[in-house]
Amino acid sequence: GFLCVHSTMKKAFVVFLLVAVIAQAVFARVSVVRNAARPVAPAAPQLDVCPTCVSFMDQAIDQLLNIIANVGVLGSCGALCSKLPNKVEATVCNLLCDYVGITEFVKLVTDADPDPIAICQDLHVCPIHDDGAANITAVRVNPPSGPQGTKFLFTMNFDVSAQTGTGEIAIVVSPPDAEPFGDAQLNEGFAPAATLSSSSWRPSLPSRSPSMPATTPSRW
C-alpha cells in the first residue's frame, strides 16, 4: 500500500511539473508577443540645420539665382531644386524650401543683397537675437610675425553682456604687399559670459599687388 501511494504521488508531482513548465512557456511566449506588439520608437535624429543651411546658401545661391533668372519661378520646391546639378544640394534645397513654401523661398533668395546667414535666419533655422551685445577685450597672435609657412595662433577674448545671434568670427589679414585675405567660422550665438575664441592658421602666400615688385619678401 505504501509503494502504491508513493508511486501515485510521484506521478502527480511529475504531472504538476509538466503543467508548470508548459504554463511558464506559454506565459513567456505571450510576453514576447506583447513586447513585440509595442516596439520602442527610435530616438529622433538630432540635426543642427543652421550650419547646413548657411553652407548651402553660400555655395548654391548663385546657381539658384541663375535658375530663377533663366527658367522663371517654378511651381514647386521640387521643380526648382531639381535643377541643381548636385543631388545633396538639391535635397537640402528641397527641405528648406518646403519649410516655408516656394513663394517665400524665392522671395528670400532673390533679395537685392542676399546674405546666407540672413536668409537662414529668415527661414527660422538659425537663431536671431537682435539685442545681442559683446565687447572684445584682447586679441593676441603667437608668434607676432613670421615668414611664409609659419603657423600662427590667433586668440581673442570677449565679454558677452547679452545673448548674441548667429554670426561669424572672422580673421582678415592685410599684408603690406598683397591683397587682403582671411577666413571665418560660423557660430550660432554666445550666452552672456567671458568667452575665449582661438584658431590656428598657416596662411599661404596670397596674390601680390601689381604695384609691388615680385622680389619683395612676404612676412606676416
Side-chain angles (χ1 to χ4, degrees):
F2 174 77
L3 291 176
C4 181
V5 171
H6 178 73
S7 176
T8 303
M9 291 179 63
K10 185 175 181 180
K11 290 180 181 179
F13 180 69
V14 170
V15 171
F16 173 76
L17 285 179
L18 288 175
V19 171
V21 169
I22 293 173
Q24 184 176 8
V26 171
F27 175 79
R29 184 178 178 183
V30 171
S31 178
V32 170
V33 171
R34 286 179 178 175
N35 289 337
R38 294 182 294 179
V40 177
Q46 300 298 316
L47 177 63
D48 192 353
V49 183
C50 180
T52 302
C53 176
V54 173
S55 177
F56 165 74
M57 288 298 174
D58 189 49
Q59 297 175 13
I61 187 72
D62 290 336
Q63 297 179 67
L64 288 172
L65 289 173
N66 288 333
I67 293 171
I68 295 171
N70 295 327
V71 181
V73 179
L74 300 172
S76 68
C77 293
L80 171 63
C81 297
S82 64
K83 300 293 183 182
L84 291 170
N86 186 295
K87 290 185 178 180
V88 174
E89 290 183 348
T91 300
V92 175
C93 172
N94 214 14
L95 290 172
L96 294 172
C97 180
D98 283 340
Y99 189 68
V100 294
I102 182 65
T103 302
E104 183 65 18
F105 185 75
V106 170
K107 179 182 177 181
L108 293 173
V109 170
T110 56
D111 184 77
D113 186 20
D115 174 76
I117 292 178
I119 292 176
C120 294
Q121 287 180 319
D122 288 337
L123 287 170
H124 306 292
V125 296
C126 287
I128 301 175
H129 292 279
D130 293 331
D131 56 350
N135 181 48
I136 297 175
T137 57
V139 177
R140 295 177 297 276
V141 181
N142 187 33
S145 65
Q148 179 188 357
T150 301
K151 185 176 183 179
F152 296 92
L153 176 63
F154 296 82
T155 306
M156 179 177 68
N157 295 80
F158 55 98
D159 290 327
V160 179
S161 54
Q163 173 73 51
T164 62
T166 308
E168 291 181 330
I169 294 180
I171 299 174
V172 179
V173 178
S174 299
D177 61 342
E179 297 297 326
F181 63 99
D183 195 11
Q185 184 177 7
L186 180 74
N187 66 80
E188 296 181 48
F190 295 97
T195 307
L196 172 68
S197 175
S198 63
S199 176
S200 296
W201 194 21
R202 182 178 285 110
S204 58
L205 184 64
S207 58
R208 291 179 177 273
S209 171
S211 61
M212 300 302 294
T215 56
T216 302
S218 291
R219 191 169 185 84
W220 315 102

PDB file of all heavy atoms in Angstrom, residues 1-10:
ATOM      1  N   GLY A   1       0.805  -1.192   0.000  1.00  0.00           N
ATOM      2  CA  GLY A   1       0.000   0.000   0.000  1.00  0.00           C
ATOM      3  C   GLY A   1       0.846   1.251   0.000  1.00  0.00           C
ATOM      4  O   GLY A   1       0.537   2.226  -0.631  1.00  0.00           O
ATOM      5  N   PHE A   2       1.989   1.242   0.695  1.00  0.00           N
ATOM      6  CA  PHE A   2       2.865   2.413   0.771  1.00  0.00           C
ATOM      7  C   PHE A   2       3.487   2.702  -0.566  1.00  0.00           C
ATOM      8  O   PHE A   2       3.567   3.842  -1.007  1.00  0.00           O
ATOM      9  CB  PHE A   2       3.948   2.151   1.833  1.00  0.00           C
ATOM     10  CG  PHE A   2       4.984   3.230   1.878  1.00  0.00           C
ATOM     11  CD1 PHE A   2       4.709   4.442   2.481  1.00  0.00           C
ATOM     12  CD2 PHE A   2       6.235   3.031   1.289  1.00  0.00           C
ATOM     13  CE1 PHE A   2       5.660   5.429   2.516  1.00  0.00           C
ATOM     14  CE2 PHE A   2       7.171   4.023   1.309  1.00  0.00           C
ATOM     15  CZ  PHE A   2       6.892   5.228   1.923  1.00  0.00           C
ATOM     16  N   LEU A   3       3.913   1.590  -1.276  1.00  0.00           N
ATOM     17  CA  LEU A   3       4.538   1.761  -2.590  1.00  0.00           C
ATOM     18  C   LEU A   3       3.553   2.339  -3.582  1.00  0.00           C
ATOM     19  O   LEU A   3       3.886   3.167  -4.422  1.00  0.00           O
ATOM     20  CB  LEU A   3       5.084   0.419  -3.098  1.00  0.00           C
ATOM     21  CG  LEU A   3       6.283  -0.146  -2.334  1.00  0.00           C
ATOM     22  CD1 LEU A   3       6.661  -1.534  -2.880  1.00  0.00           C
ATOM     23  CD2 LEU A   3       7.473   0.818  -2.459  1.00  0.00           C
ATOM     24  N   CYS A   4       2.291   1.893  -3.519  1.00  0.00           N
ATOM     25  CA  CYS A   4       1.268   2.382  -4.450  1.00  0.00           C
ATOM     26  C   CYS A   4       1.007   3.862  -4.235  1.00  0.00           C
ATOM     27  O   CYS A   4       0.928   4.631  -5.169  1.00  0.00           O
ATOM     28  CB  CYS A   4      -0.009   1.555  -4.241  1.00  0.00           C
ATOM     29  SG  CYS A   4      -1.345   2.064  -5.367  1.00  0.00           S
ATOM     30  N   VAL A   5       0.889   4.232  -2.964  1.00  0.00           N
ATOM     31  CA  VAL A   5       0.635   5.646  -2.679  1.00  0.00           C
ATOM     32  C   VAL A   5       1.823   6.497  -3.092  1.00  0.00           C
ATOM     33  O   VAL A   5       1.682   7.551  -3.671  1.00  0.00           O
ATOM     34  CB  VAL A   5       0.340   5.816  -1.164  1.00  0.00           C
ATOM     35  CG1 VAL A   5       0.280   7.290  -0.797  1.00  0.00           C
ATOM     36  CG2 VAL A   5      -0.958   5.131  -0.794  1.00  0.00           C
ATOM     37  N   HIS A   6       3.044   5.978  -2.823  1.00  0.00           N
ATOM     38  CA  HIS A   6       4.257   6.724  -3.146  1.00  0.00           C
ATOM     39  C   HIS A   6       4.372   6.913  -4.665  1.00  0.00           C
ATOM     40  O   HIS A   6       4.718   7.984  -5.157  1.00  0.00           O
ATOM     41  CB  HIS A   6       5.471   5.966  -2.607  1.00  0.00           C
ATOM     42  CG  HIS A   6       6.772   6.651  -2.931  1.00  0.00           C
ATOM     43  ND1 HIS A   6       7.176   7.810  -2.290  1.00  0.00           N
ATOM     44  CD2 HIS A   6       7.738   6.345  -3.831  1.00  0.00           C
ATOM     45  CE1 HIS A   6       8.336   8.196  -2.765  1.00  0.00           C
ATOM     46  NE2 HIS A   6       8.707   7.309  -3.719  1.00  0.00           N
ATOM     47  N   SER A   7       4.049   5.834  -5.401  1.00  0.00           N
ATOM     48  CA  SER A   7       4.115   5.894  -6.875  1.00  0.00           C
ATOM     49  C   SER A   7       3.095   6.873  -7.415  1.00  0.00           C
ATOM     50  O   SER A   7       3.361   7.642  -8.335  1.00  0.00           O
ATOM     51  CB  SER A   7       3.885   4.489  -7.444  1.00  0.00           C
ATOM     52  OG  SER A   7       3.851   4.534  -8.848  1.00  0.00           O
ATOM     53  N   THR A   8       1.891   6.858  -6.813  1.00  0.00           N
ATOM     54  CA  THR A   8       0.847   7.779  -7.276  1.00  0.00           C
ATOM     55  C   THR A   8       1.235   9.221  -7.026  1.00  0.00           C
ATOM     56  O   THR A   8       1.051  10.100  -7.866  1.00  0.00           O
ATOM     57  CB  THR A   8      -0.477   7.464  -6.558  1.00  0.00           C
ATOM     58  OG1 THR A   8      -0.820   6.107  -6.796  1.00  0.00           O
ATOM     59  CG2 THR A   8      -1.583   8.380  -7.046  1.00  0.00           C
ATOM     60  N   MET A   9       1.824   9.494  -5.835  1.00  0.00           N
ATOM     61  CA  MET A   9       2.259  10.865  -5.508  1.00  0.00           C
ATOM     62  C   MET A   9       3.373  11.319  -6.446  1.00  0.00           C
ATOM     63  O   MET A   9       3.429  12.471  -6.868  1.00  0.00           O
ATOM     64  CB  MET A   9       2.736  10.917  -4.040  1.00  0.00           C
ATOM     65  CG  MET A   9       1.621  10.746  -3.017  1.00  0.00           C
ATOM     66  SD  MET A   9       2.249  10.779  -1.340  1.00  0.00           S
ATOM     67  CE  MET A   9       2.902  12.437  -1.282  1.00  0.00           C
ATOM     68  N   LYS A  10       4.265  10.366  -6.792  1.00  0.00           N
ATOM     69  CA  LYS A  10       5.377  10.704  -7.696  1.00  0.00           C
ATOM     70  C   LYS A  10       4.841  11.088  -9.060  1.00  0.00           C
ATOM     71  O   LYS A  10       5.286  12.056  -9.683  1.00  0.00           O
ATOM     72  CB  LYS A  10       6.320   9.521  -7.785  1.00  0.00           C
ATOM     73  CG  LYS A  10       7.580   9.810  -8.605  1.00  0.00           C
ATOM     74  CD  LYS A  10       8.528   8.632  -8.553  1.00  0.00           C
ATOM     75  CE  LYS A  10       9.793   8.948  -9.346  1.00  0.00           C
ATOM     76  NZ  LYS A  10      10.743   7.820  -9.328  1.00  0.00           N
TER      77      LYS A  10
END
